[in-house]
Amino acid sequence: MKYTKEHEWLRVEGDLVVVGITEHAATQLGDVVFIELPEIETMVAEGDEVAVIESVKAASDIAAPMDGEIVAVNDKLVEKPGLVNADPMTAWFFKMRVDDLSVLDDFMDEDEYQDMIG
């Protein structure tokens, strides 16, 4: 598991990268009430806004952590956005195919992420 400075978690499944938000992010957002996910087969570049998450406190964009193609989305989150609050570490948003999984080496491991959030 790797982490971004934007409070996303990244998990490798075969040749795909699964993306979700961390427990810290879910707590900061509060009760999630709406999620908009990207279209499958969309090519994205690092930093592109690919998903929207709205809570009772705020709206936030989820950016693509790296260049790649969106190959799957978690439609359950659209129907039940509160799943993000219930278990943010399993409530994934989308899966990406990337050309080179070694780009994950540039992201934080759990210890580094915990140090960042204090």
Side-chain angles (χ1 to χ4, degrees):
M1 189 85 76
K2 294 288 190 167
Y3 300 87
T4 71
K5 291 177 181 162
E6 292 75 27
H7 307 286
E8 297 167 351
W9 55 258
L10 312 172
R11 182 179 68 231
V12 175
E13 284 184 2
D15 64 343
L16 303 179
V17 177
V18 184
V19 181
I21 65 169
T22 65
E23 187 170 345
H24 176 78
T27 300
Q28 294 298 311
L29 281 168
D31 292 337
V32 176
V33 295
F34 174 81
I35 293 175
E36 181 181 324
L37 297 172
E39 294 289 324
I40 295 174
E41 299 181 351
T42 301
M43 297 300 295
V44 296
E46 179 181 345
D48 284 355
E49 295 172 359
V50 294
V52 176
I53 183 168
E54 293 181 9
S55 71
V56 294
K57 291 183 182 179
S60 183
D61 294 317
I62 296 177
M66 61 199 70
D67 298 348
E69 178 186 8
I70 305 295
V71 296
V73 296
N74 187 351
D75 289 323
K76 290 179 185 175
L77 296 185
V78 174
E79 298 164 18
K80 295 182 180 178
L83 292 172
V84 172
N85 300 109
D87 191 355
M89 299 309 285
T90 61
W92 59 277
F93 282 72
F94 55 90
K95 296 181 181 183
M96 300 179 66
R97 179 169 287 116
V98 297
D99 290 335
D100 183 3
L101 289 175
S102 71
V103 297
L104 289 166
D105 295 342
D106 296 337
F107 295 97
M108 293 177 276
D109 62 22
E110 187 166 359
D111 288 340
E112 292 168 318
Y113 181 72
Q114 291 300 326
D115 287 346
M116 184 187 88
I117 62 174

